[in-house]
Amino acid sequence: MNKQNDMLSPELSPEALRKIDREVAKYPADQKQSAVMAALVIAQDEKGWLSKETIAAVASYLGMPPIAAYEVATFYNMYDLQPVGKYKLTVCTNLPCALSGGVHAADYVKEKLGIDFNETTPDGKFTLKEGECMGACGDAPVMLVNNKRMCSFMLPEAIDKLLAECN
Amino acid sequence: MALIDTISPLLTTGWSKGDAGWSLKDYEARGGYAQLKRILSSKMTQDELIAEVKKSSLRGRGGAGFPTGLKWSFMPKAAPEKYVVCNTDEGEPGTFKDRDLLRYDPHSTIEGMIIAGYAVGAKRGYNYIHGEIFDIYQRFEEALDQARAAGYLGERILGSDFSFDLFAHHGWGAYICGEETGLLESIEGKKGQPRYKPPFPANFGLYGKPTTINNTETFAAIPFILGMGGEAYLNLGKPNNGGTKLFSVSGHVNRPGNYEVPMGTPFAKLLEMAGGMRGGRKLKAVIPGGSSAPVLPADVMMECTMDYDSIAKAGSMLGSGAVIVMDETVCMVKALERLSYFYFEESCGQCTPCREGSGWLYRVVHRIEHGQGRPEDLDLLNRVTDNMMGKTICALADAAAFPVRSFIKHFKSEFEYHIEHKKCLVDPEVQRAGSGFFRASSVARVA
Amino acid sequence: MLEIEIDGKTLQVADGSTIIEAAHQMGTYIPHFCYHKKLSIAANCRMCLVQVEKAPKPMPACATPVTNGMKVFTHSELAVKAQKGVMEFLLINHPLDCPICDQGGECQLQDLAVGYGESASQYQEEKRVVPDKDLGPLVSTDMTRCINCTRCIRFTAEIAGFMELGQSFRGEHAEVMPFIGKTVDTELSGNIIDLCPVGALTSKPFRFSARTWELSRRKSVSPHDGLGSNLIMQTKHDRVMRVLPLENEDINECWLTDKERFSYQGLNSQGDNGRLTKPMVKQGGEWKEVDWNVALDYASHALRDVAKTHGGAAIGGLLSPHATLEEMYLAQKLLRGLGSENIDFRLRQSDFSADGHRRGTPWLGIKIADIGRLDRVLVVGSFLRKDHPLIAQRLRQSAKGGAQISVLHSADDDLLIKLAARAIAAPSQLPAVLAQIVKAVCQLKGAAVDAALAGITVSTEAQAIAQSLVSGSNSGILLGNFAQQHPQAATLQALGHRLASVLGGSFGFLGEAANSVGGYVAKAVPGAGGLNAAAMLKEPRQAYVVVGAEPELDCADGAQALASLTKAAAVVVLSPFKSQAMLDYAAVLLPVSPFSETSGTFVNTEGRVQSFYAAAKPLGETRPAWKVLRVLGNLLDVAGFEFNSSEDVRAEALGGQSDFVSGLDNGVDAFTLNLSATVNGFERVADVPIHFADSLVRRAPALQQARDSATPTARMNAATLKKLGVATGDRVRVGAGGTATVTLSTQLDAGLPDGTVRVAAAHADTVALGPMSSVLNVEKA
């Protein structure tokens, strides 16, 4: 199966399912639904974003109603319900970050990439998101790359360096 | 960057080696897990343990400041299935202490949770970790593996009759999960919409079972309290405000970061530890307990000591210990707009006053900031906040209201200026310079 | 008990009560939206905030438990300020265009806004717009009006048993919705219309057709399943525009099934298959509309001729179990007056061997309201969720409360009930498995094992069910429609009765139709020497009187019914509807009132007598069937037909019984068990789909678009598909031994036993297959 098909298929890979199983094992046997947040992250990591088919597949794997999984996918704002670029940059613009340049950092990225929040560069490489507090205000301005990598003290030089590293 | 400066380090003793000092062997070398071993080998009773914690006067470090020992004593003894849950969903703007606690010393929290499990009779625990700090979640999982391998977690811990296992659960971007019942819902795989209380978690918590839920810093303090004795810990701070506390200092200071100081330390001292005001500029205002706490003007703040009672007396809250420092380059309308947007975005949507009111507040503040304010807007904002506060299941509506009320109360003239002149009292160029983003570079100005 | 004070008045309330319950107990209204007595507490609308002494903040009355000595103020300044504040928030994003809203005039938000709203709003920002959702053919949405009370969500999850709706996104962006691309398909979906306190969810069939104040209201009783749900029929110009539940805690609570709520559309059906509004006779093969006297004359002559020439036994009477007590009573009296004992209303039954051994009228065995008190339940042979949705709902709540529900059936449909144990077996095996359960229970209880059961081996599944049953203290055995239609129904009855007596529990039948008990009360069953419903079709009669039924769809063997009716010299049909089949076999069509246009009585499955009046005038030249039968009785000179009103008929039929009928008894005496189970071939598992079960619902267009009205398929499990060498979706030719075959698509149904094929009955597509219980041959088409 080629990669393209793999991305479109709601089926999760055996590896993803193994990861989900590991999460399920953390909870009491009759509480599989507890693993839905982690399972959706695993699915998002594999598929790039969460289509309704992917959400339904996760719900079915965990034996929960699809709308219950959809509620979760739409409640927590790091789930991507639309395709995003290869690098999703989330800039914190909350007050503590803003005091140290969070908003300016976002403006700087917008200018450099030529996109606004919630937009993706035409080459599909970058998507820019506005984030809320990431719990790292002492390192302001902070940015997340693809949800899982926290970048601190994102002054112009650091941003330039980060963007250059992203290939 | 592992800070930093402390007075009588306790929680931060293990931080000195930065990212190189977090693992089990480092923790053990610092005397880690000794308290757990002592409790198990001496067969300390649950009541003795809780009494010791009560003696310390430790109050919940997540924001509400509820006495920890008392909370533990609420757990029904007979219930067969109970849980201990740690709240590391650190999303209160300005707060970043728990992240560093788990980054530099995850085992103190683990040990604290195991001891809590012993004290309340729980066999299972979860640590709910803020989604945005995924690397910390991964480190915590590693630390759990280490603890499990060493026999500190699992069946019959260290050969005793006590069994306890602990797991990490990560969030994925919802401030409201920092509210304890929202967090429990989230662990159950649902939206993090807070539950109406009563029943309280001690009776109806995770999966409907009795649950003790505490902040990371609270759990992390437990081994130290037991190590030095409750009374000695209490004496580090002030009566009713025992021990040391981590303060996350952010904003316009030279050295933002976490500072561990005894409760009751003067704010001026804390500010000095954080390197003083950036660029030597003048202090304008401080939010002393995370973004939900009312803002205090500089003069009031400079008179405060950092403890629950002093800050409360000044009209704010110690909250989570997040100290957001603002200098004279800050436009208070714009600052409030940012906070109001945050609460508008993070309202869970459950209760009418918060779902509808948080958006109303934001839109009005936004209008004022953008030169479309009306003279009646300030009264309107106060009236809307009045209808929100105390009318909802959880405190998010209050959290959205407090900044609005306190910003208007203390900086009314700035708001009036905005409404009347349709622009900011603080020159935009001054504001721009204030962030320091453009300080060390020659980058062209961006839009 | 706790003592509290509300607005200065003292009252005693039960421990665990909330303030709102206490207030309702004393008749004090506290405004609310999200609270509903049948749903979990959400406490999210905040409309019910009240002042509680010593509490610093106003408390939600719906979620605050009463404590002893508590003082509550529902109208104090603090309370009213809080309530008004909440009302303002509710209205800022709610459209203020009540005149164009379908809920106008019956909207809780509108009503409360009058009391708690201000005349002008200070909200000057843009209002929120929420996209509408497609919830299917029954429920219309106007989601911008939604106040996010989440009642509809809680209903689907808690009452209907599966969360089909949710609140997605958060904060101000929160939206109530089904999963993307899904509709709300529960058989109870219409209740969310009633639950919605605003105009967000409204009835699609009723939408914009009338205002609430234009409608006349009449109480009525559902003519569908045996529950006898209480209805409010709403009419405008003698047309039923809408049906709503009439709350009756002992029967339907505050719910209705979609069938009960939307079948009224069939009352207004038109065209070739719609309402019959003029008497018609067939002369020389041509149908003519005639005057009533001509038609009645024609009908009475036809029957008199047959009776004279061939004897009364040449006439058969097929009565719909949905006909009223009065109609059935007069029909049987008429037939008996003509000398025929061939009378039956049990049209889908195939085993009548209990007749003559029955101790009394088969019934539920307990009161409906007591179903919730059973702690162990075994449901035998029932498509429970679709055949008895509101009883399934009661058992669903019981299961949540700790009751153990078990199932013995030939299909493993998801009942959305947590089951303690289940045994799924081919139809032919049901008696044997039930016998195993009886044996296992006898052994567990230390009771003597009946000789007939001595040799059988108890399976693991039967043992598990038995163990669940004996572990309780109040058990109930319920036989569903499938068990009653089973070719060994009497054996199942005898076993069920035996099982209940060993357990010391109750035993009963889930009544298939509105008058499944009433038919017995009306004596609409064959007397000595008479033929039952199956026999009078198997041994064709010269003439038939058909009351309210469409035998080709309503009988156990529709093909045989069609053949016998077609062969008969005279078929007199009393029906509210016409159909092509009727035009083919009938000699005279007499347009009679459906339940909405006549007074009448249904005796529900618990034996409760429920009478109702007409909600509307008879359509066209339609006349109430009891009047038509009375005139026929008069024309045929049958004695005892001097009735002036339907009440007279009822009085004679009930013979003094009033609220509940007597003579209810599910016992069978001196009956030999038939445990044989030799079958070669694919056994048919025939369900009667919820929206095809009777002539009214079959004609309700919106219901016919619902998912429950899908075209019948040949359902089978993976092993059976494999054995037949077909894939799901393939077309197969299905026959039942005769020459007729039907071609159906296959569908995978993992819940079916090996070697069974599920083909729905009561549908035009499958009539040709013949008996509901049969062995099928299936081959790829």
mmCIF file with all atom_site columns, all heavy atoms in Angstrom, chain A residues 52 65-67 70-71 74-75 77, chain C residues 163 166-170 177 179-180:
data_model
loop_
_atom_site.group_PDB
_atom_site.id
_atom_site.type_symbol
_atom_site.label_atom_id
_atom_site.label_alt_id
_atom_site.label_comp_id
_atom_site.label_asym_id
_atom_site.label_entity_id
_atom_site.label_seq_id
_atom_site.pdbx_PDB_ins_code
_atom_site.Cartn_x
_atom_site.Cartn_y
_atom_site.Cartn_z
_atom_site.occupancy
_atom_site.B_iso_or_equiv
_atom_site.pdbx_formal_charge
_atom_site.auth_seq_id
_atom_site.auth_comp_id
_atom_site.auth_asym_id
_atom_site.auth_atom_id
_atom_site.pdbx_PDB_model_num
ATOM 1   N N   . LYS A 1 52  ? -12.904 12.593 9.773  1.00 0.00 ? 52  LYS A N   1
ATOM 2   C CA  . LYS A 1 52  ? -14.009 11.973 10.506 1.00 0.00 ? 52  LYS A CA  1
ATOM 3   C C   . LYS A 1 52  ? -13.869 10.446 10.473 1.00 0.00 ? 52  LYS A C   1
ATOM 4   O O   . LYS A 1 52  ? -14.235 9.764  11.424 1.00 0.00 ? 52  LYS A O   1
ATOM 5   C CB  . LYS A 1 52  ? -15.362 12.427 9.965  1.00 0.00 ? 52  LYS A CB  1
ATOM 6   C CG  . LYS A 1 52  ? -15.693 11.917 8.595  1.00 0.00 ? 52  LYS A CG  1
ATOM 7   C CD  . LYS A 1 52  ? -17.154 12.185 8.237  1.00 0.00 ? 52  LYS A CD  1
ATOM 8   C CE  . LYS A 1 52  ? -17.414 11.599 6.865  1.00 0.00 ? 52  LYS A CE  1
ATOM 9   N NZ  . LYS A 1 52  ? -18.756 11.514 6.447  1.00 0.00 ? 52  LYS A NZ  1
ATOM 10  N N   . PRO A 1 65  ? -19.095 5.677  21.384 1.00 0.00 ? 65  PRO A N   1
ATOM 11  C CA  . PRO A 1 65  ? -19.848 6.291  20.287 1.00 0.00 ? 65  PRO A CA  1
ATOM 12  C C   . PRO A 1 65  ? -18.968 7.286  19.532 1.00 0.00 ? 65  PRO A C   1
ATOM 13  O O   . PRO A 1 65  ? -18.194 8.024  20.153 1.00 0.00 ? 65  PRO A O   1
ATOM 14  C CB  . PRO A 1 65  ? -20.989 7.042  21.000 1.00 0.00 ? 65  PRO A CB  1
ATOM 15  C CG  . PRO A 1 65  ? -21.080 6.443  22.356 1.00 0.00 ? 65  PRO A CG  1
ATOM 16  C CD  . PRO A 1 65  ? -19.697 5.966  22.695 1.00 0.00 ? 65  PRO A CD  1
ATOM 17  N N   . PRO A 1 66  ? -19.069 7.315  18.198 1.00 0.00 ? 66  PRO A N   1
ATOM 18  C CA  . PRO A 1 66  ? -18.217 8.223  17.432 1.00 0.00 ? 66  PRO A CA  1
ATOM 19  C C   . PRO A 1 66  ? -18.388 9.684  17.846 1.00 0.00 ? 66  PRO A C   1
ATOM 20  O O   . PRO A 1 66  ? -17.414 10.432 17.869 1.00 0.00 ? 66  PRO A O   1
ATOM 21  C CB  . PRO A 1 66  ? -18.630 7.998  15.978 1.00 0.00 ? 66  PRO A CB  1
ATOM 22  C CG  . PRO A 1 66  ? -19.794 7.080  15.994 1.00 0.00 ? 66  PRO A CG  1
ATOM 23  C CD  . PRO A 1 66  ? -19.865 6.444  17.331 1.00 0.00 ? 66  PRO A CD  1
ATOM 24  N N   . ILE A 1 67  ? -19.598 10.083 18.195 1.00 0.00 ? 67  ILE A N   1
ATOM 25  C CA  . ILE A 1 67  ? -19.780 11.490 18.566 1.00 0.00 ? 67  ILE A CA  1
ATOM 26  C C   . ILE A 1 67  ? -19.042 11.797 19.866 1.00 0.00 ? 67  ILE A C   1
ATOM 27  O O   . ILE A 1 67  ? -18.577 12.923 20.066 1.00 0.00 ? 67  ILE A O   1
ATOM 28  C CB  . ILE A 1 67  ? -21.283 11.882 18.653 1.00 0.00 ? 67  ILE A CB  1
ATOM 29  C CG1 . ILE A 1 67  ? -21.470 13.375 18.936 1.00 0.00 ? 67  ILE A CG1 1
ATOM 30  C CG2 . ILE A 1 67  ? -22.012 11.085 19.713 1.00 0.00 ? 67  ILE A CG2 1
ATOM 31  C CD1 . ILE A 1 67  ? -20.927 14.311 17.905 1.00 0.00 ? 67  ILE A CD1 1
ATOM 32  N N   . TYR A 1 70  ? -15.682 12.498 18.790 1.00 0.00 ? 70  TYR A N   1
ATOM 33  C CA  . TYR A 1 70  ? -15.661 13.777 18.085 1.00 0.00 ? 70  TYR A CA  1
ATOM 34  C C   . TYR A 1 70  ? -15.708 14.938 19.076 1.00 0.00 ? 70  TYR A C   1
ATOM 35  O O   . TYR A 1 70  ? -15.050 15.963 18.883 1.00 0.00 ? 70  TYR A O   1
ATOM 36  C CB  . TYR A 1 70  ? -16.830 13.855 17.095 1.00 0.00 ? 70  TYR A CB  1
ATOM 37  C CG  . TYR A 1 70  ? -16.731 15.018 16.139 1.00 0.00 ? 70  TYR A CG  1
ATOM 38  C CD1 . TYR A 1 70  ? -15.780 15.016 15.128 1.00 0.00 ? 70  TYR A CD1 1
ATOM 39  C CD2 . TYR A 1 70  ? -17.563 16.121 16.265 1.00 0.00 ? 70  TYR A CD2 1
ATOM 40  C CE1 . TYR A 1 70  ? -15.665 16.093 14.257 1.00 0.00 ? 70  TYR A CE1 1
ATOM 41  C CE2 . TYR A 1 70  ? -17.465 17.201 15.401 1.00 0.00 ? 70  TYR A CE2 1
ATOM 42  C CZ  . TYR A 1 70  ? -16.514 17.180 14.392 1.00 0.00 ? 70  TYR A CZ  1
ATOM 43  O OH  . TYR A 1 70  ? -16.393 18.245 13.533 1.00 0.00 ? 70  TYR A OH  1
ATOM 44  N N   . GLU A 1 71  ? -16.495 14.770 20.120 1.00 0.00 ? 71  GLU A N   1
ATOM 45  C CA  . GLU A 1 71  ? -16.528 15.790 21.180 1.00 0.00 ? 71  GLU A CA  1
ATOM 46  C C   . GLU A 1 71  ? -15.119 16.041 21.701 1.00 0.00 ? 71  GLU A C   1
ATOM 47  O O   . GLU A 1 71  ? -14.694 17.187 21.881 1.00 0.00 ? 71  GLU A O   1
ATOM 48  C CB  . GLU A 1 71  ? -17.386 15.312 22.363 1.00 0.00 ? 71  GLU A CB  1
ATOM 49  C CG  . GLU A 1 71  ? -18.877 15.480 22.207 1.00 0.00 ? 71  GLU A CG  1
ATOM 50  C CD  . GLU A 1 71  ? -19.619 15.223 23.516 1.00 0.00 ? 71  GLU A CD  1
ATOM 51  O OE1 . GLU A 1 71  ? -19.043 14.616 24.448 1.00 0.00 ? 71  GLU A OE1 1
ATOM 52  O OE2 . GLU A 1 71  ? -20.764 15.621 23.615 1.00 0.00 ? 71  GLU A OE2 1
ATOM 53  N N   . THR A 1 74  ? -12.819 17.803 19.218 1.00 0.00 ? 74  THR A N   1
ATOM 54  C CA  . THR A 1 74  ? -13.103 19.219 18.982 1.00 0.00 ? 74  THR A CA  1
ATOM 55  C C   . THR A 1 74  ? -12.943 20.069 20.243 1.00 0.00 ? 74  THR A C   1
ATOM 56  O O   . THR A 1 74  ? -12.962 21.294 20.171 1.00 0.00 ? 74  THR A O   1
ATOM 57  C CB  . THR A 1 74  ? -14.548 19.420 18.465 1.00 0.00 ? 74  THR A CB  1
ATOM 58  O OG1 . THR A 1 74  ? -15.466 18.842 19.397 1.00 0.00 ? 74  THR A OG1 1
ATOM 59  C CG2 . THR A 1 74  ? -14.727 18.778 17.110 1.00 0.00 ? 74  THR A CG2 1
ATOM 60  N N   . PHE A 1 75  ? -12.819 19.413 21.379 1.00 0.00 ? 75  PHE A N   1
ATOM 61  C CA  . PHE A 1 75  ? -12.728 20.153 22.641 1.00 0.00 ? 75  PHE A CA  1
ATOM 62  C C   . PHE A 1 75  ? -11.297 20.575 22.937 1.00 0.00 ? 75  PHE A C   1
ATOM 63  O O   . PHE A 1 75  ? -11.045 21.661 23.435 1.00 0.00 ? 75  PHE A O   1
ATOM 64  C CB  . PHE A 1 75  ? -13.264 19.275 23.774 1.00 0.00 ? 75  PHE A CB  1
ATOM 65  C CG  . PHE A 1 75  ? -13.423 19.999 25.087 1.00 0.00 ? 75  PHE A CG  1
ATOM 66  C CD1 . PHE A 1 75  ? -14.593 20.696 25.376 1.00 0.00 ? 75  PHE A CD1 1
ATOM 67  C CD2 . PHE A 1 75  ? -12.419 19.990 26.053 1.00 0.00 ? 75  PHE A CD2 1
ATOM 68  C CE1 . PHE A 1 75  ? -14.756 21.361 26.576 1.00 0.00 ? 75  PHE A CE1 1
ATOM 69  C CE2 . PHE A 1 75  ? -12.579 20.650 27.259 1.00 0.00 ? 75  PHE A CE2 1
ATOM 70  C CZ  . PHE A 1 75  ? -13.745 21.337 27.526 1.00 0.00 ? 75  PHE A CZ  1
ATOM 71  N N   . ASN A 1 77  ? -7.684  21.693 21.831 1.00 0.00 ? 77  ASN A N   1
ATOM 72  C CA  . ASN A 1 77  ? -7.382  22.431 20.605 1.00 0.00 ? 77  ASN A CA  1
ATOM 73  C C   . ASN A 1 77  ? -6.092  22.025 19.883 1.00 0.00 ? 77  ASN A C   1
ATOM 74  O O   . ASN A 1 77  ? -5.738  22.625 18.878 1.00 0.00 ? 77  ASN A O   1
ATOM 75  C CB  . ASN A 1 77  ? -7.438  23.943 20.856 1.00 0.00 ? 77  ASN A CB  1
ATOM 76  C CG  . ASN A 1 77  ? -6.425  24.392 21.876 1.00 0.00 ? 77  ASN A CG  1
ATOM 77  O OD1 . ASN A 1 77  ? -5.484  23.659 22.174 1.00 0.00 ? 77  ASN A OD1 1
ATOM 78  N ND2 . ASN A 1 77  ? -6.598  25.576 22.432 1.00 0.00 ? 77  ASN A ND2 1
ATOM 79  N N   . MET C 2 163 ? -25.405 7.221  22.606 1.00 0.00 ? 163 MET C N   1
ATOM 80  C CA  . MET C 2 163 ? -25.142 8.643  22.446 1.00 0.00 ? 163 MET C CA  1
ATOM 81  C C   . MET C 2 163 ? -25.041 8.979  20.964 1.00 0.00 ? 163 MET C C   1
ATOM 82  O O   . MET C 2 163 ? -24.021 8.777  20.332 1.00 0.00 ? 163 MET C O   1
ATOM 83  C CB  . MET C 2 163 ? -23.833 8.972  23.166 1.00 0.00 ? 163 MET C CB  1
ATOM 84  C CG  . MET C 2 163 ? -23.498 10.436 23.190 1.00 0.00 ? 163 MET C CG  1
ATOM 85  S SD  . MET C 2 163 ? -21.916 10.630 24.044 1.00 0.00 ? 163 MET C SD  1
ATOM 86  C CE  . MET C 2 163 ? -21.684 12.392 23.872 1.00 0.00 ? 163 MET C CE  1
ATOM 87  N N   . GLY C 2 166 ? -24.009 14.920 20.511 1.00 0.00 ? 166 GLY C N   1
ATOM 88  C CA  . GLY C 2 166 ? -23.001 15.388 21.443 1.00 0.00 ? 166 GLY C CA  1
ATOM 89  C C   . GLY C 2 166 ? -22.901 16.901 21.334 1.00 0.00 ? 166 GLY C C   1
ATOM 90  O O   . GLY C 2 166 ? -23.536 17.524 20.479 1.00 0.00 ? 166 GLY C O   1
ATOM 91  N N   . GLN C 2 167 ? -22.101 17.460 22.218 1.00 0.00 ? 167 GLN C N   1
ATOM 92  C CA  . GLN C 2 167 ? -21.831 18.894 22.145 1.00 0.00 ? 167 GLN C CA  1
ATOM 93  C C   . GLN C 2 167 ? -20.368 19.025 21.740 1.00 0.00 ? 167 GLN C C   1
ATOM 94  O O   . GLN C 2 167 ? -19.479 18.789 22.543 1.00 0.00 ? 167 GLN C O   1
ATOM 95  C CB  . GLN C 2 167 ? -22.095 19.540 23.503 1.00 0.00 ? 167 GLN C CB  1
ATOM 96  C CG  . GLN C 2 167 ? -21.967 21.050 23.503 1.00 0.00 ? 167 GLN C CG  1
ATOM 97  C CD  . GLN C 2 167 ? -21.922 21.603 24.922 1.00 0.00 ? 167 GLN C CD  1
ATOM 98  O OE1 . GLN C 2 167 ? -21.289 21.037 25.799 1.00 0.00 ? 167 GLN C OE1 1
ATOM 99  N NE2 . GLN C 2 167 ? -22.611 22.708 25.148 1.00 0.00 ? 167 GLN C NE2 1
ATOM 100 N N   . SER C 2 168 ? -20.167 19.357 20.495 1.00 0.00 ? 168 SER C N   1
ATOM 101 C CA  . SER C 2 168 ? -18.804 19.452 19.994 1.00 0.00 ? 168 SER C CA  1
ATOM 102 C C   . SER C 2 168 ? -18.288 20.875 20.128 1.00 0.00 ? 168 SER C C   1
ATOM 103 O O   . SER C 2 168 ? -19.053 21.804 20.313 1.00 0.00 ? 168 SER C O   1
ATOM 104 C CB  . SER C 2 168 ? -18.750 19.020 18.535 1.00 0.00 ? 168 SER C CB  1
ATOM 105 O OG  . SER C 2 168 ? -19.225 17.699 18.433 1.00 0.00 ? 168 SER C OG  1
ATOM 106 N N   . PHE C 2 169 ? -16.991 21.015 20.003 1.00 0.00 ? 169 PHE C N   1
ATOM 107 C CA  . PHE C 2 169 ? -16.310 22.306 20.184 1.00 0.00 ? 169 PHE C CA  1
ATOM 108 C C   . PHE C 2 169 ? -16.579 22.805 21.597 1.00 0.00 ? 169 PHE C C   1
ATOM 109 O O   . PHE C 2 169 ? -17.225 22.131 22.382 1.00 0.00 ? 169 PHE C O   1
ATOM 110 C CB  . PHE C 2 169 ? -16.722 23.324 19.108 1.00 0.00 ? 169 PHE C CB  1
ATOM 111 C CG  . PHE C 2 169 ? -16.507 22.780 17.718 1.00 0.00 ? 169 PHE C CG  1
ATOM 112 C CD1 . PHE C 2 169 ? -17.571 22.241 16.996 1.00 0.00 ? 169 PHE C CD1 1
ATOM 113 C CD2 . PHE C 2 169 ? -15.252 22.753 17.170 1.00 0.00 ? 169 PHE C CD2 1
ATOM 114 C CE1 . PHE C 2 169 ? -17.364 21.702 15.734 1.00 0.00 ? 169 PHE C CE1 1
ATOM 115 C CE2 . PHE C 2 169 ? -15.041 22.225 15.902 1.00 0.00 ? 169 PHE C CE2 1
ATOM 116 C CZ  . PHE C 2 169 ? -16.104 21.698 15.186 1.00 0.00 ? 169 PHE C CZ  1
ATOM 117 N N   . ARG C 2 170 ? -16.051 23.972 21.902 1.00 0.00 ? 170 ARG C N   1
ATOM 118 C CA  . ARG C 2 170 ? -16.218 24.398 23.282 1.00 0.00 ? 170 ARG C CA  1
ATOM 119 C C   . ARG C 2 170 ? -16.546 25.884 23.367 1.00 0.00 ? 170 ARG C C   1
ATOM 120 O O   . ARG C 2 170 ? -16.487 26.604 22.371 1.00 0.00 ? 170 ARG C O   1
ATOM 121 C CB  . ARG C 2 170 ? -14.968 24.062 24.093 1.00 0.00 ? 170 ARG C CB  1
ATOM 122 C CG  . ARG C 2 170 ? -13.772 24.898 23.744 1.00 0.00 ? 170 ARG C CG  1
ATOM 123 C CD  . ARG C 2 170 ? -12.545 24.428 24.526 1.00 0.00 ? 170 ARG C CD  1
ATOM 124 N NE  . ARG C 2 170 ? -11.430 25.315 24.263 1.00 0.00 ? 170 ARG C NE  1
ATOM 125 C CZ  . ARG C 2 170 ? -10.164 24.951 24.262 1.00 0.00 ? 170 ARG C CZ  1
ATOM 126 N NH1 . ARG C 2 170 ? -9.828  23.697 24.500 1.00 0.00 ? 170 ARG C NH1 1
ATOM 127 N NH2 . ARG C 2 170 ? -9.210  25.829 24.034 1.00 0.00 ? 170 ARG C NH2 1
ATOM 128 N N   . MET C 2 177 ? -24.674 18.370 18.054 1.00 0.00 ? 177 MET C N   1
ATOM 129 C CA  . MET C 2 177 ? -24.673 17.740 16.723 1.00 0.00 ? 177 MET C CA  1
ATOM 130 C C   . MET C 2 177 ? -24.535 16.222 16.813 1.00 0.00 ? 177 MET C C   1
ATOM 131 O O   . MET C 2 177 ? -24.077 15.696 17.815 1.00 0.00 ? 177 MET C O   1
ATOM 132 C CB  . MET C 2 177 ? -23.510 18.280 15.901 1.00 0.00 ? 177 MET C CB  1
ATOM 133 C CG  . MET C 2 177 ? -22.148 18.090 16.551 1.00 0.00 ? 177 MET C CG  1
ATOM 134 S SD  . MET C 2 177 ? -20.771 18.303 15.394 1.00 0.00 ? 177 MET C SD  1
ATOM 135 C CE  . MET C 2 177 ? -20.876 20.018 15.015 1.00 0.00 ? 177 MET C CE  1
ATOM 136 N N   . PHE C 2 179 ? -22.639 12.824 15.097 1.00 0.00 ? 179 PHE C N   1
ATOM 137 C CA  . PHE C 2 179 ? -21.349 12.643 14.429 1.00 0.00 ? 179 PHE C CA  1
ATOM 138 C C   . PHE C 2 179 ? -21.524 13.022 12.963 1.00 0.00 ? 179 PHE C C   1
ATOM 139 O O   . PHE C 2 179 ? -22.603 12.834 12.387 1.00 0.00 ? 179 PHE C O   1
ATOM 140 C CB  . PHE C 2 179 ? -20.877 11.193 14.566 1.00 0.00 ? 179 PHE C CB  1
ATOM 141 C CG  . PHE C 2 179 ? -19.475 10.984 14.065 1.00 0.00 ? 179 PHE C CG  1
ATOM 142 C CD1 . PHE C 2 179 ? -18.416 11.632 14.657 1.00 0.00 ? 179 PHE C CD1 1
ATOM 143 C CD2 . PHE C 2 179 ? -19.224 10.130 12.991 1.00 0.00 ? 179 PHE C CD2 1
ATOM 144 C CE1 . PHE C 2 179 ? -17.119 11.459 14.199 1.00 0.00 ? 179 PHE C CE1 1
ATOM 145 C CE2 . PHE C 2 179 ? -17.937 9.937  12.522 1.00 0.00 ? 179 PHE C CE2 1
ATOM 146 C CZ  . PHE C 2 179 ? -16.875 10.602 13.131 1.00 0.00 ? 179 PHE C CZ  1
ATOM 147 N N   . ILE C 2 180 ? -20.446 13.567 12.384 1.00 0.00 ? 180 ILE C N   1
ATOM 148 C CA  . ILE C 2 180 ? -20.537 14.081 11.014 1.00 0.00 ? 180 ILE C CA  1
ATOM 149 C C   . ILE C 2 180 ? -21.140 13.037 10.069 1.00 0.00 ? 180 ILE C C   1
ATOM 150 O O   . ILE C 2 180 ? -20.672 11.900 10.002 1.00 0.00 ? 180 ILE C O   1
ATOM 151 C CB  . ILE C 2 180 ? -19.141 14.461 10.493 1.00 0.00 ? 180 ILE C CB  1
ATOM 152 C CG1 . ILE C 2 180 ? -18.471 15.381 11.501 1.00 0.00 ? 180 ILE C CG1 1
ATOM 153 C CG2 . ILE C 2 180 ? -19.229 15.150 9.142  1.00 0.00 ? 180 ILE C CG2 1
ATOM 154 C CD1 . ILE C 2 180 ? -16.999 15.527 11.283 1.00 0.00 ? 180 ILE C CD1 1
#
